[in-house]
Amino acid sequence: MKRSLIYTGTTLGLIAGAFLLMNSLPGCRPGTTKTAVTGDAGSRVYVKPGAKDEFYNFVSGGFSGQLAVYGLPSGRLFREIPVFSVDPETGWGFSEESKGMLTTSHGFVPWDDSHHPELSQTDGVPDGKWCFINGNNTPRIALIDLGTFRTHSIIEIPNSAGNHSSPFTTGNSEYVIAGTRFSIPMGDEASRDVPITSYKENFKGTVSFIHPEPETGKMSIAFQIVTPGVNFDLSHAGKGPSEGWFFFSCYNTEQAYSLLEVNASQRDKDFVMAVNWKMAEQLAKEGKGKRVPGKHHSNWWNDETHSSETTVYEDVLQLDPKDHPGLLYFMPCPKSPHGCDVDPTGNYIVGSGKLAALVPVFKFDKIQKAIADKDYEGEFMGIPVLKYESVLHGEVKKPGLGPLHTEFDNKGNAYTSMFVSSEIVKWNVESLEVLDRVPTYYSIGHLCVPGGDSKSPWGKYVIAYNKITKDRYLPTGPELTQSAQLYSIEGDKMELLLDFPTTGEPHYAQAIPAELVTPREVKFFKIEENQHPFVAKGEKETKIERRGKEVHVWMTSIRSHFAPDNIEGIKIGDEVFFHVTNLEQDWDVPHGFAIKGAMNAELLIMPGETQTLKWVPNRVGVVPFYCTDFCSALHQEMSGYARVSPANSNVPLSARTVSVDAEL
């Protein structure tokens, strides 16, 4: 199974050379968009004033740690949803209520690296209820409620490092799956403190099955499967005949731990791992696993109290495949696979060896027959390895250089991104015939077809998410904007319709018809249902209270004033908590709250919501506070003052809103 280092180096050199050549010769790419886009493209992506886009496009924010929402076909950015990173625009991670959402066993972690949005499904089709996304750095998965477009739940994943191969769901979102990018030593402290050179003996991976409660969205880890020490890249669930199975791309089967670009590219083939998750689920229900240490936080947003709640777990249930034959199988896959994708019928599993100039397609009934016949070519770390020829449907020959990721339309076709040759290649899943190819600008990573990883794709478009933009947009210094490109797939040939810039680094994305999302939209929070412990449901309920060094202000906001707006009796050394309730009951009338010298952020409070800003004054004086979100013609007048006195002051604590009539 090994190639010589010389051959591997030659292969890498050829790919790198092709990449450099493609990006340096002007003849290898269109000089202008005019040469690549037909004259009517503008009318096909134009959304006239007052009209709405057909699709929501949920795009990973990469190193921003957030999730971006675009409209299709317009490419307009609607919102960046705060997920794993603090956000001063909304106060996410700064308000007292939201801080708990970013707590982990490591403490408060205000950032992550988000890669793969995944929409919740019903019977294998996106349902518009939730969107999941992974935190790659500090292993976490988040659940975004598509009624509020807010992060509703975040769970930390123990016994994991590099949560890249996630969050991919089963057909009814019973489980969200997370595989480790990096294998690590696990167990107690002594087991974890081992030489890096002992990789093969001591390093393991895990695949975690996370259960979101259907009614609440709270997440818990149902069980983990221990795996050999390899790196997992991407994954997808089976469907139809392959329902009950999960498939993962694996690389670094060399089990290298240094200079992976060379040492993890030695073998002709790595693996696709097949997991019998229904079997694993049954084993877990029967108590066949073992509880192992694994401290982790599960954070959940309570819509009634407008606050986060955290449950801390100390262990997890693990299943070891060596104790349960039939749980895991490996299938050889051309070297260093990235994508691992299942077609809408569930019959075909597509691997994408990014260092191979072909795309292998496996067939599920052949996989089952090979398992039944024990048609193995050997084993890897105790896991059976099925014969490549026995499970293979066939190979897409010469599709392009650097195949990464495949999605599907509703006509039996597949679309694969080619990173090195910067193109999308369309091919037929059954015949494996290449049907079309179009250039991308430049170095495409992931792509997205609306519903393209589900049982029933909507098709219509394929969107490329590119790693390099070069000459596509106005330059913005050494860091250029990221790039997405919209292609029509309604005809036999793909057609470029639109470029649009994206925020962060887009990795994977998913798209869904807007009509599945909008019926669940939350326009405002009902003030009578607000159960926040510091809510003021009207101005008559506003007050101020001292609790030792803490000063609590029950405050309201409404167009266009705060109540109270004059506060006195605060002293140096106090911690002041502004609990601000937005009394509005009209759609799209948030209010902001900020105070001079605050060292955290502002608040952005939705209608009917209560949020809290902690302020620690550090100097004597009168300090203004004000609304940061434009709300009316008298927005500038929506302000107030807080008086801060010396620590030994006798100024009484008071809070009031005084009308002109009362003053007169």
Side-chain angles (χ1 to χ4, degrees), residues 328-408:
L328 302 183
Y329 295 92
F330 285 124
M331 302 184 296
C333 183
K335 63 192 314 175
S336 300
H338 182 64
C340 184
D341 305 286
V342 181
D343 88 309
T345 70
N347 289 311
Y348 300 103
I349 297 93
V350 180
S352 297
K354 59 182 183 283
L355 297 184
L358 55 83
V359 175
V361 181
F362 306 99
K363 196 168 185 184
F364 185 70
D365 60 359
K366 289 189 172 185
I367 295 170
Q368 292 303 292
K369 186 176 188 306
I371 290 172
D373 294 345
K374 296 187 177 180
D375 192 4
Y376 307 150
E377 67 175 44
E379 64 174 38
F380 178 81
M381 305 297 288
I383 306 300
V385 179
L386 305 176
K387 285 185 180 177
Y388 181 67
E389 294 77 10
S390 299
V391 297
L392 188 70
H393 169 61
E395 297 173 341
V396 183
K397 302 291 187 182
K398 299 181 179 179
L401 292 176
L404 289 187
H405 173 219
T406 300
E407 296 233 322
F408 308 90

Side-chain angles (χ1 to χ4, degrees), residues 90-103 108 150-152 154 299-310 530-536 552-555 577-582 593 600 602-605 609-614:
T90 62
W92 179 255
F94 291 108
S95 72
E96 294 303 295
E97 290 82 1
S98 64
K99 286 179 181 177
M101 295 296 289
L102 302 182
T103 61
F108 180 80
R150 286 182 165 191
T151 300
H152 191 70
I154 297 178
N299 308 317
W300 177 69
W301 187 262
N302 187 327
D303 284 326
E304 294 181 345
T305 63
H306 302 185
S307 303
S308 62
E309 299 176 4
T310 295
N530 186 331
Q531 297 182 26
H532 192 286
F534 290 93
V535 63
H552 292 267
V553 183
W554 283 254
M555 180 179 283
F577 295 86
F578 294 98
H579 309 286
V580 187
T581 300
N582 182 345
F593 177 84
N600 36 29
E602 62 158 5
L603 297 177
L604 189 60
I605 313 119
E609 185 179 36
T610 302
Q611 289 290 283
T612 301
L613 184 72
K614 178 182 176 180

